[in-house]
Amino acid sequence: MLTREYTIGKRLLEGLVSEPYELIVRKNSSEITKIVLSEVVAVVEYGLYPLTTVINQSLLIFGMVVVMLLTSPEITLLIIAAIFSTYFLIYKKLGNKVDVVARKRGYANGQRFVIIDNFFGVYKNAKVEGRLDEYIKSFSHHSNSYGTSNANLLILSSLPRGLVELFLVATVLIALALTILSGKLENL
């Protein structure tokens, strides 16, 4: 999974290199740098890695559901409906927040690259004119926003899983109690 950052970044750069010269010259070089070096990491960390986790956990859950269906189909269907409802509600509540934070993160990250690119382009003049603090303050603001957005994304991406797992444990305990009370456990 960790090598995906390399392969995606390499493919992206190869695609850019194959573009006509006129299109490359018109694009902002700091924006291209940000996408190739930084946004690819975000795609892997917040996209591909969670996707593989979902696939692995889905296979495990599928096996558990099959076993539960064999022992108690009514309770299993009730649990499945409750789990999907809970997940849907959590996704609806947090989905928009994740999108807003991700956009803010992308903007702040882009601004960091633009500021650094501009800074080195005018360093000599900025130093002579005493404007270095302006660049530092601007970079600091966007770096802080970028770091805060990353922390918020980490929390928001972990929260649904934690809530669903909490719900699942409670549901399994209730299902176990219902199974014991209904006497179906004796049939095994």
Side-chain angles (χ1 to χ4, degrees):
M1 181 55 63
L2 296 175
T3 60
R4 288 299 130 217
E5 181 182 334
Y6 158 74
T7 55
I8 293 171
K10 182 177 178 260
R11 285 183 188 168
L12 189 58
L13 189 58
E14 288 170 345
L16 286 169
V17 170
S18 68
E19 294 279 333
Y21 178 76
E22 298 80 27
L23 290 176
I24 295 292
V25 171
R26 280 189 245 148
K27 292 182 180 181
N28 184 339
S29 63
S30 63
E31 182 69 20
I32 294 171
T33 303
K34 173 190 76 104
I35 290 169
V36 172
L37 296 179
S38 184
E39 295 304 318
V40 169
V41 174
V43 167
V44 172
E45 286 181 4
Y46 301 118
L48 292 179
Y49 185 71
L51 179 64
T52 58
T53 302
V54 165
I55 291 170
N56 290 337
Q57 290 178 354
S58 296
L59 292 172
L60 178 65
I61 289 172
F62 177 74
M64 292 170 59
V65 167
V66 168
V67 170
M68 290 173 61
L69 279 170
L70 293 173
T71 59
S72 182
E74 303 87 16
I75 293 175
T76 302
L77 294 175
L78 181 66
I79 290 170
I80 290 171
I83 290 170
F84 279 117
S85 299
T86 302
Y87 185 77
F88 179 76
L89 290 173
I90 291 170
Y91 178 77
K92 279 302 226 184
K93 287 285 185 186
L94 296 179
N96 292 336
K97 290 179 183 178
V98 169
D99 189 44
V100 169
V101 172
R103 288 179 194 274
K104 184 177 179 181
R105 178 198 171 280
Y107 174 77
N109 194 29
Q111 290 303 303
R112 291 181 332 141
F113 279 87
V114 168
I115 291 166
I116 292 294
D117 192 42
N118 290 343
F119 173 74
F120 287 116
V122 298
Y123 174 75
K124 184 178 178 182
N125 290 341
K127 181 135 178 110
V128 170
E129 295 171 9
R131 294 186 5 231
L132 292 177
D133 285 344
E134 293 174 30
Y135 284 98
I136 293 170
K137 285 179 186 174
S138 183
F139 180 79
S140 176
H141 168 72
H142 291 294
S143 286
N144 185 30
S145 179
Y146 176 74
T148 302
S149 296
N150 274 339
N152 289 340
L153 278 174
L154 183 62
I155 291 167
L156 288 172
S157 66
S158 300
L159 191 59
R161 179 178 175 190
L163 291 174
V164 169
E165 287 175 358
L166 177 67
F167 179 77
L168 286 173
V169 168
T171 304
V172 167
L173 291 175
I174 291 170
L176 183 61
L178 290 174
T179 303
I180 291 170
L181 292 176
S182 70
K184 294 219 177 193
L185 205 56
E186 294 171 5
N187 296 338
L188 297 175

